[in-house]
Amino acid sequence: MQETVQNLFNESIQIQVAAADNIGTPVLSAIDKLVQALLSGNKVFTCGDETNRFVAAHFAELLLHGCALERPPFAAIHLTGQARDELAQECFARQVSALGNAGDILVVFVTQTHNERLHQAMAAAVSRDMTIITITGDDPGDIAGLLGANDIEIRVPSNVRARIIEQQLFLAQTFCDAIEASIFQGV
């Protein structure tokens, strides 16, 4: 059992190192876009598939309530999946269509290669002239095909759901820490 646990720690560390080497540029671009949107008074929408919707909710909470600083809340909305059966696939898209505006950002946390709710949310964001930031694993499936030239794709170098989610949680915290540092400390 000890060897199994040690192997899991080692695998997680290796992915963290690989991510640091490979995804720095899109992460910095995402932080810059988030900072600019928030400084302009725009909103950040978050959503995730069934496996990691809690990551999206956590990111929205961090933006609303803060990380390292006591500060005013940022406009962050976690898209929820509570809808009648006939509207279940459209629930995220309907929220984006109702509340999203040009200049807002949709941050999508993905572990599955296809999720209709996420696809429809992304299509709604495109129609509202919003920027999309996706955080996926090595194989984003058809999600990547929904991104435009101004959107950002961050691929965690793994296809293992647990390792992807670990990195998504780390990135959510990193985004919030960097946003706070940039806006309130001039970093």
Side-chain angles (χ1 to χ4, degrees):
M1 181 57 81
Q2 182 176 354
E3 184 178 333
T4 300
V5 171
Q6 190 170 7
N7 287 339
L8 290 170
F9 270 95
N10 288 333
E11 179 184 25
S12 180
I13 291 166
Q14 290 170 358
I15 291 168
Q16 183 91 10
V17 169
D21 291 341
N22 296 326
I23 63 175
T25 300
V27 167
L28 292 174
S29 295
I31 292 167
D32 185 54
K33 284 193 183 271
L34 289 162
V35 166
Q36 294 309 313
L38 292 168
L39 286 174
S40 298
N42 294 103
K43 298 177 290 296
V44 175
F45 294 81
T46 67
C47 62
D49 57 38
E50 289 77 12
T51 306
N52 58 6
R53 68 179 137 214
F54 74 94
V55 178
H58 179 64
F59 182 50
E61 286 289 317
L62 289 172
L63 290 173
L64 282 169
H65 300 292
C67 294
L69 302 175
E70 189 170 325
R71 58 159 173 85
F74 294 128
I77 300 167
H78 173 241
L79 304 177
T80 61
Q82 306 299 323
R84 298 184 317 266
D85 287 341
E86 65 271 12
L87 297 176
Q89 295 302 317
E90 301 173 18
C91 62
F92 293 166
R94 292 176 68 82
Q95 293 168 72
V96 170
S97 294
L99 302 170
N101 294 304
D104 291 342
I105 295 180
L106 174 64
V107 180
V108 183
F109 295 90
V110 185
T111 54
Q112 301 172 352
T113 58
H114 181 83
N115 183 291
E116 191 59 32
R117 283 183 182 182
L118 299 181
H119 285 213
Q120 289 190 22
M122 292 171 71
V126 168
S127 74
R128 305 295 289 174
D129 199 26
M130 295 169 58
T131 298
I132 301 170
I133 299 170
T134 61
I135 306 169
T136 69
D138 245 354
D139 179 11
D142 49 7
I143 292 284
L146 301 171
L147 298 174
N150 293 322
D151 298 328
I152 298 171
E153 178 183 33
I154 300 170
R155 288 189 187 185
V156 173
S158 179
N159 286 317
V160 178
R161 280 189 182 175
R163 302 297 82 80
I164 296 167
I165 292 169
E166 288 170 0
Q167 294 307 303
Q168 289 173 330
L169 280 167
F170 178 79
L171 287 167
Q173 185 70 49
T174 298
F175 285 169
C176 194
D177 286 341
I179 289 166
E180 286 182 353
S182 179
I183 292 175
F184 295 104
Q185 298 171 336
V187 177

